[in-house]
mmCIF file of all heavy atoms in Angstrom:
data_model
loop_
_atom_site.group_PDB
_atom_site.id
_atom_site.type_symbol
_atom_site.label_atom_id
_atom_site.label_comp_id
_atom_site.label_asym_id
_atom_site.label_seq_id
_atom_site.Cartn_x
_atom_site.Cartn_y
_atom_site.Cartn_z
ATOM 1 N N GLU X 1 90.307 81.897 108.599
ATOM 2 C CA GLU X 1 88.972 81.356 108.880
ATOM 3 C C GLU X 1 89.057 79.871 109.214
ATOM 4 O O GLU X 1 88.388 79.385 110.140
ATOM 5 C CB GLU X 1 88.055 81.584 107.680
ATOM 6 C CG GLU X 1 87.620 83.035 107.505
ATOM 7 C CD GLU X 1 86.706 83.220 106.315
ATOM 8 O OE1 GLU X 1 86.613 82.285 105.496
ATOM 9 O OE2 GLU X 1 86.095 84.292 106.203
ATOM 10 N N GLY X 2 89.861 79.126 108.460
ATOM 11 C CA GLY X 2 90.022 77.705 108.745
ATOM 12 C C GLY X 2 90.575 77.469 110.140
ATOM 13 O O GLY X 2 90.141 76.558 110.851
ATOM 14 N N CYS X 3 91.550 78.295 110.520
ATOM 15 C CA CYS X 3 92.136 78.177 111.854
ATOM 16 C C CYS X 3 91.098 78.483 112.930
ATOM 17 O O CYS X 3 91.022 77.795 113.963
ATOM 18 C CB CYS X 3 93.331 79.120 111.956
ATOM 19 S SG CYS X 3 94.257 78.979 113.495
ATOM 20 N N LEU X 4 90.273 79.501 112.704
ATOM 21 C CA LEU X 4 89.228 79.852 113.669
ATOM 22 C C LEU X 4 88.229 78.713 113.848
ATOM 23 O O LEU X 4 87.876 78.334 114.975
ATOM 24 C CB LEU X 4 88.500 81.118 113.203
ATOM 25 C CG LEU X 4 88.964 82.455 113.773
ATOM 26 C CD1 LEU X 4 88.174 83.597 113.140
ATOM 27 C CD2 LEU X 4 88.798 82.486 115.284
ATOM 28 N N PHE X 5 87.739 78.165 112.739
ATOM 29 C CA PHE X 5 86.775 77.064 112.834
ATOM 30 C C PHE X 5 87.381 75.859 113.550
ATOM 31 O O PHE X 5 86.731 75.204 114.367
ATOM 32 C CB PHE X 5 86.319 76.647 111.429
ATOM 33 C CG PHE X 5 85.250 77.537 110.847
ATOM 34 C CD1 PHE X 5 85.421 78.125 109.601
ATOM 35 C CD2 PHE X 5 84.070 77.780 111.534
ATOM 36 C CE1 PHE X 5 84.443 78.941 109.054
ATOM 37 C CE2 PHE X 5 83.080 78.602 111.000
ATOM 38 C CZ PHE X 5 83.264 79.179 109.754
ATOM 39 N N THR X 6 88.630 75.561 113.252
ATOM 40 C CA THR X 6 89.271 74.370 113.825
ATOM 41 C C THR X 6 89.504 74.499 115.319
ATOM 42 O O THR X 6 89.227 73.577 116.089
ATOM 43 C CB THR X 6 90.609 74.104 113.121
ATOM 44 O OG1 THR X 6 90.377 73.877 111.731
ATOM 45 C CG2 THR X 6 91.310 72.886 113.721
ATOM 46 N N HIS X 7 89.994 75.644 115.765
ATOM 47 C CA HIS X 7 90.488 75.749 117.135
ATOM 48 C C HIS X 7 89.570 76.499 118.103
ATOM 49 O O HIS X 7 89.784 76.429 119.315
ATOM 50 C CB HIS X 7 91.873 76.410 117.137
ATOM 51 C CG HIS X 7 92.907 75.632 116.392
ATOM 52 N ND1 HIS X 7 93.376 74.418 116.827
ATOM 53 C CD2 HIS X 7 93.552 75.892 115.224
ATOM 54 C CE1 HIS X 7 94.263 73.956 115.968
ATOM 55 N NE2 HIS X 7 94.392 74.816 114.990
ATOM 56 N N SER X 8 88.556 77.210 117.589
ATOM 57 C CA SER X 8 87.664 77.921 118.504
ATOM 58 C C SER X 8 86.347 77.191 118.716
ATOM 59 O O SER X 8 85.627 77.478 119.671
ATOM 60 C CB SER X 8 87.375 79.327 117.968
ATOM 61 O OG SER X 8 86.503 79.269 116.844
ATOM 62 N N GLY X 9 86.021 76.260 117.808
ATOM 63 C CA GLY X 9 84.736 75.586 117.908
ATOM 64 C C GLY X 9 83.591 76.439 117.421
ATOM 65 O O GLY X 9 82.415 76.061 117.561
ATOM 66 N N SER X 10 83.887 77.583 116.809
ATOM 67 C CA SER X 10 82.840 78.474 116.331
ATOM 68 C C SER X 10 82.073 77.843 115.181
ATOM 69 O O SER X 10 82.627 77.096 114.369
ATOM 70 C CB SER X 10 83.456 79.801 115.869
ATOM 71 O OG SER X 10 82.481 80.616 115.247
ATOM 72 N N LEU X 11 80.762 78.160 115.110
ATOM 73 C CA LEU X 11 79.929 77.683 114.012
ATOM 74 C C LEU X 11 79.689 78.768 112.971
ATOM 75 O O LEU X 11 79.058 78.512 111.940
ATOM 76 C CB LEU X 11 78.583 77.178 114.552
ATOM 77 C CG LEU X 11 78.671 76.026 115.566
ATOM 78 C CD1 LEU X 11 77.273 75.634 116.030
ATOM 79 C CD2 LEU X 11 79.382 74.828 114.957
ATOM 80 N N GLY X 12 80.169 79.966 113.236
ATOM 81 C CA GLY X 12 79.965 81.061 112.293
ATOM 82 C C GLY X 12 80.947 82.195 112.545
ATOM 83 O O GLY X 12 81.300 82.488 113.691
ATOM 84 N N ILE X 13 81.392 82.814 111.468
ATOM 85 C CA ILE X 13 82.376 83.900 111.558
ATOM 86 C C ILE X 13 81.863 85.096 110.764
ATOM 87 O O ILE X 13 81.423 84.950 109.619
ATOM 88 C CB ILE X 13 83.743 83.453 110.990
ATOM 89 C CG1 ILE X 13 84.306 82.274 111.794
ATOM 90 C CG2 ILE X 13 84.732 84.609 110.978
ATOM 91 C CD1 ILE X 13 85.520 81.628 111.147
ATOM 92 N N ARG X 14 81.889 86.239 111.369
ATOM 93 C CA ARG X 14 81.565 87.473 110.651
ATOM 94 C C ARG X 14 82.854 88.029 110.043
ATOM 95 O O ARG X 14 83.901 87.993 110.690
ATOM 96 C CB ARG X 14 80.957 88.517 111.593
ATOM 97 C CG ARG X 14 79.656 88.079 112.226
ATOM 98 C CD ARG X 14 79.079 89.161 113.133
ATOM 99 N NE ARG X 14 79.970 89.473 114.245
ATOM 100 C CZ ARG X 14 80.012 88.767 115.373
ATOM 101 N NH1 ARG X 14 79.264 87.691 115.527
ATOM 102 N NH2 ARG X 14 80.826 89.124 116.350
ATOM 103 N N ARG X 15 82.779 88.526 108.822
ATOM 104 C CA ARG X 15 83.978 89.078 108.212
ATOM 105 C C ARG X 15 83.645 90.376 107.497
ATOM 106 O O ARG X 15 82.544 90.573 106.982
ATOM 107 C CB ARG X 15 84.606 88.083 107.250
ATOM 108 C CG ARG X 15 83.803 87.790 106.017
ATOM 109 C CD ARG X 15 84.458 86.674 105.211
ATOM 110 N NE ARG X 15 83.733 86.400 103.979
ATOM 111 C CZ ARG X 15 83.738 85.234 103.356
ATOM 112 N NH1 ARG X 15 84.435 84.232 103.868
ATOM 113 N NH2 ARG X 15 83.083 85.068 102.236
ATOM 114 N N SER X 16 84.609 91.249 107.477
ATOM 115 C CA SER X 16 84.447 92.539 106.798
ATOM 116 C C SER X 16 85.812 93.015 106.339
ATOM 117 O O SER X 16 86.856 92.563 106.843
ATOM 118 C CB SER X 16 83.823 93.571 107.742
ATOM 119 O OG SER X 16 84.626 93.739 108.900
ATOM 120 N N GLN X 17 85.811 93.890 105.358
ATOM 121 C CA GLN X 17 87.042 94.501 104.878
ATOM 122 C C GLN X 17 87.065 95.952 105.337
ATOM 123 O O GLN X 17 86.070 96.664 105.260
ATOM 124 C CB GLN X 17 87.142 94.431 103.351
ATOM 125 C CG GLN X 17 87.477 93.043 102.836
ATOM 126 C CD GLN X 17 87.745 93.045 101.349
ATOM 127 O OE1 GLN X 17 86.961 93.581 100.587
ATOM 128 N NE2 GLN X 17 88.847 92.444 100.936
ATOM 129 N N MET X 18 88.221 96.369 105.806
ATOM 130 C CA MET X 18 88.367 97.730 106.321
ATOM 131 C C MET X 18 89.613 98.384 105.752
ATOM 132 O O MET X 18 90.637 97.734 105.562
ATOM 133 C CB MET X 18 88.463 97.723 107.856
ATOM 134 C CG MET X 18 87.191 97.329 108.551
ATOM 135 S SD MET X 18 87.295 97.590 110.341
ATOM 136 C CE MET X 18 85.646 97.098 110.827
ATOM 137 N N ALA X 19 89.495 99.664 105.477
ATOM 138 C CA ALA X 19 90.668 100.431 105.061
ATOM 139 C C ALA X 19 91.532 100.678 106.283
ATOM 140 O O ALA X 19 91.036 100.862 107.396
ATOM 141 C CB ALA X 19 90.239 101.750 104.434
ATOM 142 N N ARG X 20 92.835 100.669 106.072
ATOM 143 C CA ARG X 20 93.766 100.856 107.176
ATOM 144 C C ARG X 20 94.790 101.925 106.787
ATOM 145 O O ARG X 20 95.341 101.890 105.697
ATOM 146 C CB ARG X 20 94.470 99.536 107.511
ATOM 147 C CG ARG X 20 95.473 99.643 108.647
ATOM 148 C CD ARG X 20 96.034 98.286 109.009
ATOM 149 N NE ARG X 20 96.826 97.692 107.940
ATOM 150 C CZ ARG X 20 97.828 96.835 108.131
ATOM 151 N NH1 ARG X 20 98.139 96.454 109.349
ATOM 152 N NH2 ARG X 20 98.503 96.337 107.113
ATOM 153 N N ARG X 21 95.032 102.839 107.670
ATOM 154 C CA ARG X 21 96.065 103.845 107.471
ATOM 155 C C ARG X 21 97.158 103.584 108.499
ATOM 156 O O ARG X 21 96.880 103.395 109.670
ATOM 157 C CB ARG X 21 95.494 105.246 107.651
ATOM 158 C CG ARG X 21 96.520 106.362 107.513
ATOM 159 C CD ARG X 21 95.880 107.704 107.762
ATOM 160 N NE ARG X 21 96.866 108.774 107.775
ATOM 161 C CZ ARG X 21 96.594 110.032 108.079
ATOM 162 N NH1 ARG X 21 95.344 110.371 108.387
ATOM 163 N NH2 ARG X 21 97.534 110.949 108.081
ATOM 164 N N LYS X 22 98.401 103.567 108.028
ATOM 165 C CA LYS X 22 99.493 103.273 108.946
ATOM 166 C C LYS X 22 100.688 104.143 108.615
ATOM 167 O O LYS X 22 100.861 104.600 107.481
ATOM 168 C CB LYS X 22 99.876 101.789 108.859
ATOM 169 C CG LYS X 22 100.189 101.314 107.448
ATOM 170 C CD LYS X 22 100.432 99.821 107.412
ATOM 171 C CE LYS X 22 100.737 99.369 105.984
ATOM 172 N NZ LYS X 22 100.998 97.926 105.895
ATOM 173 N N LEU X 23 101.517 104.358 109.603
ATOM 174 C CA LEU X 23 102.716 105.147 109.397
ATOM 175 C C LEU X 23 103.761 104.333 108.647
ATOM 176 O O LEU X 23 103.848 103.120 108.788
ATOM 177 C CB LEU X 23 103.291 105.595 110.749
ATOM 178 C CG LEU X 23 102.422 106.504 111.606
ATOM 179 C CD1 LEU X 23 103.158 106.851 112.892
ATOM 180 C CD2 LEU X 23 102.037 107.773 110.859
ATOM 181 N N SER X 24 104.557 105.031 107.846
ATOM 182 C CA SER X 24 105.692 104.388 107.201
ATOM 183 C C SER X 24 106.652 103.934 108.291
ATOM 184 O O SER X 24 106.981 104.688 109.204
ATOM 185 C CB SER X 24 106.383 105.378 106.265
ATOM 186 O OG SER X 24 107.522 104.800 105.691
ATOM 187 N N ARG X 25 107.119 102.693 108.181
ATOM 188 C CA ARG X 25 107.943 102.148 109.263
ATOM 189 C C ARG X 25 108.999 101.206 108.720
ATOM 190 O O ARG X 25 108.902 100.715 107.601
ATOM 191 C CB ARG X 25 107.063 101.406 110.267
ATOM 192 C CG ARG X 25 106.542 100.091 109.738
ATOM 193 C CD ARG X 25 105.473 99.498 110.618
ATOM 194 N NE ARG X 25 104.211 100.184 110.435
ATOM 195 C CZ ARG X 25 103.077 99.838 111.031
ATOM 196 N NH1 ARG X 25 103.068 98.818 111.857
ATOM 197 N NH2 ARG X 25 101.972 100.499 110.806
ATOM 198 N N GLU X 26 109.981 100.936 109.534
ATOM 199 C CA GLU X 26 110.994 99.946 109.216
ATOM 200 C C GLU X 26 111.598 99.422 110.509
ATOM 201 O O GLU X 26 111.489 100.039 111.568
ATOM 202 C CB GLU X 26 112.085 100.521 108.312
ATOM 203 C CG GLU X 26 112.890 101.645 108.942
ATOM 204 C CD GLU X 26 113.977 102.142 107.995
ATOM 205 O OE1 GLU X 26 114.823 101.329 107.596
ATOM 206 O OE2 GLU X 26 113.989 103.337 107.674
ATOM 207 N N ILE X 27 112.214 98.263 110.414
ATOM 208 C CA ILE X 27 112.901 97.663 111.555
ATOM 209 C C ILE X 27 114.382 97.996 111.438
ATOM 210 O O ILE X 27 114.988 97.789 110.390
ATOM 211 C CB ILE X 27 112.718 96.133 111.583
ATOM 212 C CG1 ILE X 27 111.230 95.766 111.704
ATOM 213 C CG2 ILE X 27 113.523 95.513 112.718
ATOM 214 C CD1 ILE X 27 110.629 96.094 113.052
ATOM 215 N N ILE X 28 114.959 98.530 112.499
ATOM 216 C CA ILE X 28 116.391 98.805 112.512
ATOM 217 C C ILE X 28 117.027 98.021 113.661
ATOM 218 O O ILE X 28 116.367 97.685 114.646
ATOM 219 C CB ILE X 28 116.696 100.313 112.671
ATOM 220 C CG1 ILE X 28 116.130 100.856 113.989
ATOM 221 C CG2 ILE X 28 116.129 101.095 111.494
ATOM 222 C CD1 ILE X 28 116.529 102.298 114.271
ATOM 223 N N ARG X 29 118.298 97.707 113.482
ATOM 224 C CA ARG X 29 119.062 97.027 114.527
ATOM 225 C C ARG X 29 120.023 98.029 115.153
ATOM 226 O O ARG X 29 120.677 98.787 114.441
ATOM 227 C CB ARG X 29 119.850 95.853 113.954
ATOM 228 C CG ARG X 29 119.009 94.631 113.653
ATOM 229 C CD ARG X 29 119.872 93.463 113.216
ATOM 230 N NE ARG X 29 119.091 92.263 113.028
ATOM 231 C CZ ARG X 29 118.788 91.406 113.993
ATOM 232 N NH1 ARG X 29 119.230 91.617 115.223
ATOM 233 N NH2 ARG X 29 118.059 90.336 113.746
ATOM 234 N N VAL X 30 120.083 98.024 116.461
ATOM 235 C CA VAL X 30 120.981 98.945 117.159
ATOM 236 C C VAL X 30 121.853 98.160 118.129
ATOM 237 O O VAL X 30 121.495 97.060 118.573
ATOM 238 C CB VAL X 30 120.196 100.038 117.915
ATOM 239 C CG1 VAL X 30 119.409 100.906 116.951
ATOM 240 C CG2 VAL X 30 119.270 99.421 118.958
ATOM 241 N N THR X 31 123.000 98.733 118.445
ATOM 242 C CA THR X 31 123.930 98.113 119.389
ATOM 243 C C THR X 31 123.911 98.875 120.701
ATOM 244 O O THR X 31 124.045 100.106 120.720
ATOM 245 C CB THR X 31 125.357 98.103 118.806
ATOM 246 O OG1 THR X 31 125.349 97.387 117.562
ATOM 247 C CG2 THR X 31 126.326 97.425 119.767
#
């Protein structure tokens, strides 16, 4: 929020919390 106010010039921000479902994941390195 601080970053948004500083760099967008916005005078108001809407915020909400949302549930998120995501797949199990990992980063692998390959050659």
Side-chain angles (χ1 to χ4, degrees):
E1 287 180 347
C3 185
L4 264 177
F5 279 126
T6 299
H7 298 292
S8 73
S10 173
L11 301 179
I13 298 170
R14 298 181 298 277
R15 68 186 182 206
S16 58
Q17 286 187 310
M18 291 189 178
R20 179 175 65 152
R21 178 182 174 186
K22 54 185 180 179
L23 297 181
S24 177
R25 72 191 76 177
E26 63 179 301
I27 299 290
I28 61 174
R29 284 186 175 274
V30 297
T31 302

